Amino acid sequence: MKFNKLTDTQIAYFASLLTLRKPNWESSSTCDVLVTAKVDPIPHQVEAAQFFFRNPFQGGVILGDEVGLGKTIESGLILSQLWAEGKRKILIIAPKSLRHQWQDELRELFYLDSEIIDTNSYAKVAKGIYPDSLEEDEIILITNEHFVAKYKSKILGGKWDLVVIDEAHKLRNVWKPGKNQAKRAKAIRDSIFPFKKMLLTATPMQNNLMELYGLCSFLDPYILGSADSFKRNFVSTTGSELDDKLKELKFRISKFFKRELRKNVQVFIPYTNRNAVTIPFDPTDEEEELRLTFENYLKDPETIALPAIANGFLRLVYFKLLASSSFALKNSLNNLYAKLVHYSVALNDKELFTLLIHLIEEKLVRNDGEKSPEYLHFQKALYKNVSTKSFEGLKQQLEGERILFNVLNSEGAEDNYDEADLESLKSNEDDQPLVSKEKIISESELILSLINLTKGLSKNSKGSALVHAINQQFKKARENNWPEKAVIFTEFKTTQKYIISVLEQNGLTLDDIVIFNGDSGSASERRQLVEDFRGEKKVFLTTEAGAEGLNLQFCNLLINYDLPWNPQRIEQRIGRCHRYGQKLDVVVVNFTNKKNVADQRILELLESK
């Protein structure tokens, strides 16, 4: 309608509306979202949304609130506002295990529908079965980093209004210059470079400032200068100059990086207390002999099953496994022996192959010909994916195979390490070490002596300490009317199996235990496991696969059967229970070996960090 003439009252009214209009980033830009969304209006979450909209950088922002402060809610507020403004093409990159959780929370809390896409479903697009979601103008797509890296050109060709990266610290090593370093992270960074981004992580830096530089480079590769200049200015600086440099760095990143700490929002969120309990245990003489002997083996730079190129990473896995469970170590020794047999095949030495098989049969096959469980495990490790269980079958299978990487997988440790951790190991495997027949025989005898030591173990002191801890804490739970539930973290699937046997020997059954790891199925199956634990189950036994994204605030007891050597991983674990919505004080139980100085030092460092 066209007004030929406005009355004085109309003029005053429309003038008032004009003067009241505010830019989108002002507080009014999230008012409607807060009214309609099904969330509690916590001030720091609203401030995070405002920080995003005020931010002048086209590259975007990093939201790095501590675990459990609601980064998903902050993201929902931002996505809702963008949707209301007509900016409706949004890509969310999240770990596979969290994709359905994102979809559920956006729908249930913010009434935003989304679609999950992965390589399997997108293959049907190429066949014309499904329409191409990447071509739609109004859609919230949720996918994982593998998909983005694989379809880099398709992502780059999209006109995304926003790209969200959840658990962004997994891409922290993108700064590394090597051609084979952080290839997937670099592919993702290149594919989303033109678009506004929002990185979410509770652990923006773990042990190295360059990791923080790497995350910031996703917003703009040179937002903090080149990698070399950043190292000179901030990493290599020491002494009195360091404090000034760190203050400068904090000021520079404050323009695009926002981190809220739990202690700063206590007035709005009544977080419960966190109480740590350390339970020392005293290993038996047999356990201590095994530990010291195996440690000496791991320290030997001339070993074949763990060659020099594995130093610093794969050996670290075995040091951690040794601290985890002496019983789990039995299988690991069999795995290492299998690698020696593999090397005999690589040397095309059938005589050596036959000798090694004979030596282990002497140790693990009974006089009546019955194969022990350990020998059956050895055979399984030796002939994995081999159709013909013979020297010839192994020779055909092992051509071009990555022996060291298979060692890692055989220990069930892959849940603990992301792409950045594994790439250096993979890249080094192209250079297999030269070995001699004599050295293989000598090392096989040492490993067999270690296997013989494990056969003499009748109990595991750490397992006994776990039973004591659970009985103690469940008694306390009954006295305080708390739930008799415990989340138990271990770093290895092999240790998971041992813990199950210990729990079963002490009154619990498989009906009481949820087993969670990287093999726990689809997102819907994982959600059901959490619901099972919420219901009648008493123990949630998980590897590091359960340390991110899970909401377990209905449980207030967390047990670190194994301690990771990174304090940020500890914080991620505790954040599953000690988060918004937890109504009880959270108890965190750790174990320490009284005879292992290194074990005690790790706990001390973790506490101080």
Side-chain angles (χ1 to χ4, degrees), residues 262-310:
R262 187 180 291 107
K263 64 182 180 180
N264 296 335
V265 299
Q266 292 277 19
V267 65
F268 302 111
I269 307 176
Y271 278 105
T272 58
N273 295 323
R274 179 188 296 184
N275 303 315
V277 176
T278 299
I279 297 182
F281 65 92
D282 205 346
T284 64
D285 292 341
E286 293 80 9
E287 287 178 301
E288 190 65 3
E289 182 183 1
L290 174 64
R291 180 181 71 82
L292 293 174
T293 307
F294 191 58
E295 280 186 1
N296 289 333
Y297 169 75
L298 293 175
K299 292 174 183 176
D300 182 1
E302 303 299 323
T303 57
I304 297 172
L306 291 173
I309 61 173

Side-chain angles (χ1 to χ4, degrees), residues 524-556:
S524 58
E525 290 171 321
R526 290 172 175 235
R527 284 205 305 274
Q528 186 57 52
L529 290 175
V530 172
E531 290 306 310
D532 291 344
F533 182 50
R534 189 194 301 271
E536 298 299 320
K537 305 279 189 178
K538 290 188 174 183
V539 171
F540 191 86
L541 177 58
T542 180
T543 62
E544 211 69 30
E548 295 176 338
L550 298 183
N551 297 322
L552 305 176
Q553 57 266 59
F554 50 85
C555 173
N556 70 320

Side-chain angles (χ1 to χ4, degrees), residues 12 58 125 189 221 235 263 270 354 377 424 473 486 561:
Q58 178 61 35
V125 172
R189 185 178 64 181
V235 179
K263 64 182 180 180
T354 304
H377 176 90
S424 59
Q473 294 303 322
Y561 190 79

Side-chain angles (χ1 to χ4, degrees), residues 143-396:
T143 189
N144 56 68
E145 58 189 48
H146 299 268
F147 179 86
V148 177
K150 182 173 183 178
Y151 294 100
K152 173 182 171 182
S153 59
K154 290 287 292 185
I155 299 296
L156 185 60
K159 297 180 179 179
W160 305 102
D161 294 307
L162 179 66
V163 177
V164 181
I165 306 179
D166 191 19
E167 306 295 352
H169 54 271
K170 292 180 178 294
L171 306 174
R172 65 189 183 275
N173 283 346
V174 69
W175 65 272
K176 290 191 172 180
K179 182 179 179 181
N180 294 320
Q181 297 291 323
K183 291 173 67 175
R184 184 183 300 152
K186 290 173 182 175
I188 294 171
R189 185 178 64 181
D190 293 344
S191 67
I192 62 175
F193 172 74
F195 315 113
K196 190 152 188 144
K197 293 161 285 285
M198 180 166 65
L199 275 60
L200 308 175
T201 174
T203 54
M205 184 187 73
Q206 298 191 20
N207 288 304
N208 188 336
L209 265 180
M210 292 306 298
E211 296 169 353
L212 179 62
Y213 173 86
L215 288 185
C216 293
S217 73
F218 268 87
L219 307 183
D220 185 309
Y222 298 104
I223 199 168
L224 292 177
S226 67
D228 289 340
S229 66
F230 184 86
K231 284 181 184 177
R232 286 196 304 272
N233 288 328
F234 302 109
V235 179
S236 302
T237 304
T238 59
S240 58
E241 189 181 6
L242 179 60
D243 287 341
D244 292 336
K245 284 293 184 180
L246 291 179
K247 287 177 183 177
E248 177 190 342
L249 177 60
K250 185 176 181 179
F251 173 76
R252 288 175 63 177
I253 68 174
S254 67
K255 306 302 180 182
F256 52 83
F257 182 105
K258 186 178 189 303
R259 178 171 173 82
E260 193 59 81
L261 304 180
R262 187 180 291 107
K263 64 182 180 180
N264 296 335
V265 299
Q266 292 277 19
V267 65
F268 302 111
I269 307 176
Y271 278 105
T272 58
N273 295 323
R274 179 188 296 184
N275 303 315
V277 176
T278 299
I279 297 182
F281 65 92
D282 205 346
T284 64
D285 292 341
E286 293 80 9
E287 287 178 301
E288 190 65 3
E289 182 183 1
L290 174 64
R291 180 181 71 82
L292 293 174
T293 307
F294 191 58
E295 280 186 1
N296 289 333
Y297 169 75
L298 293 175
K299 292 174 183 176
D300 182 1
E302 303 299 323
T303 57
I304 297 172
L306 291 173
I309 61 173
N311 275 341
F313 179 72
L314 201 53
R315 290 171 189 263
L316 176 64
V317 172
Y318 279 93
F319 271 114
K320 295 170 102 175
L321 185 68
L322 178 61
S324 176
S325 167
S326 56
F327 280 103
L329 189 60
K330 290 182 180 181
N331 289 339
S332 301
L333 293 170
N334 291 330
N335 293 337
L336 288 174
Y337 196 90
K339 297 309 156 190
L340 292 179
V341 179
H342 285 167
Y343 276 117
S344 74
V345 177
L347 290 173
N348 197 26
D349 192 331
K350 190 170 184 178
E351 181 182 354
L352 177 58
F353 169 85
T354 304
L355 173 63
L356 294 177
I357 296 297
H358 172 69
L359 289 174
I360 196 169
E361 283 179 347
E362 283 187 333
K363 291 288 185 184
L364 298 181
V365 177
R366 301 186 178 109
N367 292 333
D368 59 3
E370 184 179 353
K371 297 176 180 178
S372 67
E374 291 83 5
Y375 187 77
L376 292 174
H377 176 90
F378 161 74
Q379 284 193 311
K380 183 178 179 180
L382 180 65
Y383 294 116
K384 184 179 180 180
N385 300 324
V386 178
S387 55
T388 305
K389 294 178 172 53
S390 63
F391 177 84
E392 289 73 20
L394 271 175
K395 184 177 179 182
Q396 182 178 5

Side-chain angles (χ1 to χ4, degrees), residues 61-81:
V61 302
I62 300 174
L63 300 182
D65 292 357
E66 277 194 298
V67 175
L69 293 189
K71 289 183 292 297
T72 305
I73 292 176
E74 295 168 359
S75 303
L77 294 173
I78 292 166
L79 267 57
S80 296
Q81 177 59 31

